[in-house]
C-alpha cells in the first residue's frame, strides 16, 4: 500500500530561524514527488515537483530535495508569511496522488 | 490562477438528502479530480475523470458518484448524505502528462 508520512505535524519557528520538513514515502513506481502549500480556507497551491533522487528545486526561501526514501523541504530564514500547512504527495502510475497529512508551520515575528 | 471554480463554497444539509457539488474549469483540461480532506487523513481521492463520460474510482468512492457530460464541468453527488461525509471537498485539474494537479478553493460540507 502506498504511504506518505510527514513530520513533524506542527512546527513553530522564530522569524529567521531555518529548519526542514520531512516527507517519507513508500510509493511503488514513484513518478513524482510533489510539494504543496495550503493556507487556511484555501486549496493546496503547487510548489515543486521532484522526479529523481538527488534532484533539488528552489523557490525564494524554499528548497526541496529528494532521496530514494524521503524528501525534505528546507526553509531558510523564514518570514511570517511562510506560515501555512505544507503537504507532500507521491504520484504513481495513472496520475494518482497519495498525500501526507501535512506539516503546519507557524513563523513568529 | 488555474481557473477552477467550486460551488457552492459552503453547504449545510441533513442526513439522507442528495447533494451535488460542482467543479467548473475555464480551460479544456482532460483530467479532473475530486478529493476530500479530513483531519488525521489528509487529502484522499474520491473519483477522477480522464475525459467526457470517462471516470474511475479513487480510494474512498463508496457513497459518491460523479458525472462529466462536458469537458469543463465535473459533478460530485452524494446520493444519500451521511454525517461521515461531512468534510471539505476539493476539485483539482491536471494540465498534462506528469504535470502537477491544481486545486480549487474547496466546498465545506456539513451534514447534520
Amino acid at each position: 500500500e502506498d504511504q506518505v508520512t510527514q513530520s513533524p505535524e506542527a512546527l513553530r519557528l522564530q522569524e529567521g530561524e531555518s529548519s526542514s520538513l520531512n516527507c517519507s514515502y513508500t510509493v511503488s513506481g514513484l513518478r513524482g514527488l510533489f510539494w504543496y502549500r495550503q493556507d487556511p480556507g484555501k486549496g493546496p497551491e503547487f510548489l515543486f515537483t521532484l522526479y529523481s533522487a538527488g534532484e533539488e528545486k528552489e523557490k525564494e526561501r524554499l528548497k526541496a530535495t529528494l532521496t530514494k526514501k524521503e524528501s525534505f523541504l528546507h526553509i531558510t530564514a523564514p518570514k511570517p508569511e511562510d506560515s501555512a500547512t505544507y503537504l507532500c504527495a507521491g504520484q504513481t502510475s495513472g496520475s494518482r496522488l497519495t498525500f501526507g497529512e501535512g506539516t503546519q508551520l507557524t513563523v513568529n515575528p | 490562477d488555474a481557473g477552477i471554480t467550486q460551488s457552492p463554497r459552503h453547504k449545510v444539509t441533513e442526513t439522507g438528502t442528495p447533494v451535488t457539488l460542482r467543479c467548473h474549469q475555464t480551460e479544456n483540461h482532460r483530467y479532473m479530480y475530486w478529493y476530500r480532506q479530513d483531519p488525521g487523513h489528509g487529502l484522499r481521492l474520491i473519483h477522477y475523470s480522464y475525459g467526457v463520460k470517462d471516470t474511475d474510482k479513487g480510494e474512498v468512492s463508496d457513497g459518491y458518484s460523479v458525472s462529466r457530460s462536458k469537458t469543463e464541468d465535473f459533478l460530485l453527488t452524494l446520493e444519500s448524505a451521511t454525517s461521515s461525509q461531512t468534510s471539505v471537498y476539493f476539485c483539482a485539474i491536471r494540465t498534462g502528462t506528469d504535470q502537477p494537479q491544481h486545486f480549487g478553493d474547496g466546498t465545506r460540507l456539513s451534514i447534520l
Side-chain angles (χ1 to χ4, degrees):
Chain A
E1 181 181 342
D2 295 335
Q3 195 165 4
V4 174
T5 303
Q6 293 188 245
S7 62
E9 292 184 11
L11 181 63
R12 286 187 173 272
L13 299 174
Q14 289 299 121
E15 184 171 3
E17 179 186 2
S18 301
S19 188
S20 296
L21 313 182
N22 177 262
C23 172
S24 299
Y25 63 90
T26 52
V27 175
S28 57
L30 185 76
R31 293 186 59 177
L33 190 293
F34 296 81
W35 282 98
Y36 287 84
R37 169 191 171 126
Q38 187 174 21
D39 293 300
K42 298 288 189 179
E45 175 187 352
F46 170 71
L47 293 173
F48 304 109
T49 310
L50 303 166
Y51 290 105
S52 57
E55 188 175 1
E56 298 182 353
K57 289 197 176 168
E58 288 189 64
K59 179 180 180 180
E60 296 181 356
R61 294 175 293 282
L62 301 177
K63 182 170 79 172
T65 62
L66 183 66
T67 72
K68 288 187 178 180
K69 294 184 178 180
E70 55 193 350
S71 178
F72 294 93
L73 184 65
H74 307 278
I75 304 175
T76 302
K79 298 181 177 182
E81 53 262 43
D82 294 322
S83 296
T85 296
Y86 291 86
L87 306 173
C88 75
Q91 178 176 306
T92 61
S93 60
S95 80
R96 294 189 177 206
L97 291 180
T98 299
F99 280 86
E101 293 182 32
T103 293
Q104 185 174 358
L105 174 66
T106 303
V107 182
N108 295 314
Chain B
D1 184 2
I4 304 168
T5 303
Q6 292 188 233
S7 59
R9 293 295 316 278
H10 302 271
K11 187 173 182 66
V12 180
T13 191
E14 294 183 348
T15 301
T17 60
V19 177
T20 296
L21 308 182
R22 179 182 183 234
C23 178
H24 176 80
Q25 61 161 323
T26 57
E27 301 180 12
N28 294 323
H29 297 301
R30 184 178 170 195
Y31 288 89
M32 299 184 76
Y33 305 81
W34 276 109
Y35 292 86
R36 60 179 290 174
Q37 187 174 40
D38 305 286
H41 290 282
L43 281 154
R44 292 179 291 174
L45 182 65
I46 305 171
H47 282 280
Y48 65 101
S49 171
Y50 45 95
V52 173
K53 298 187 179 179
D54 290 325
T55 65
D56 205 349
K57 296 179 180 181
E59 63 178 305
V60 289
S61 59
D62 287 348
Y64 301 95
S65 62
V66 290
S67 66
R68 193 167 178 201
S69 58
K70 299 185 291 184
T71 301
E72 59 266 35
D73 288 326
F74 191 30
L75 304 181
L76 177 70
T77 297
L78 289 65
E79 292 138 9
S80 178
T82 68
S83 58
S84 64
Q85 293 175 311
T86 292
S87 186
V88 182
Y89 291 85
F90 288 99
C91 173
I93 62 168
R94 184 162 64 95
T95 57
T97 303
D98 291 334
Q99 292 299 306
Q101 295 181 20
H102 297 278
F103 289 80
D105 281 337
T107 294
R108 183 172 296 273
L109 178 63
S110 297
I111 300 163
L112 307 178

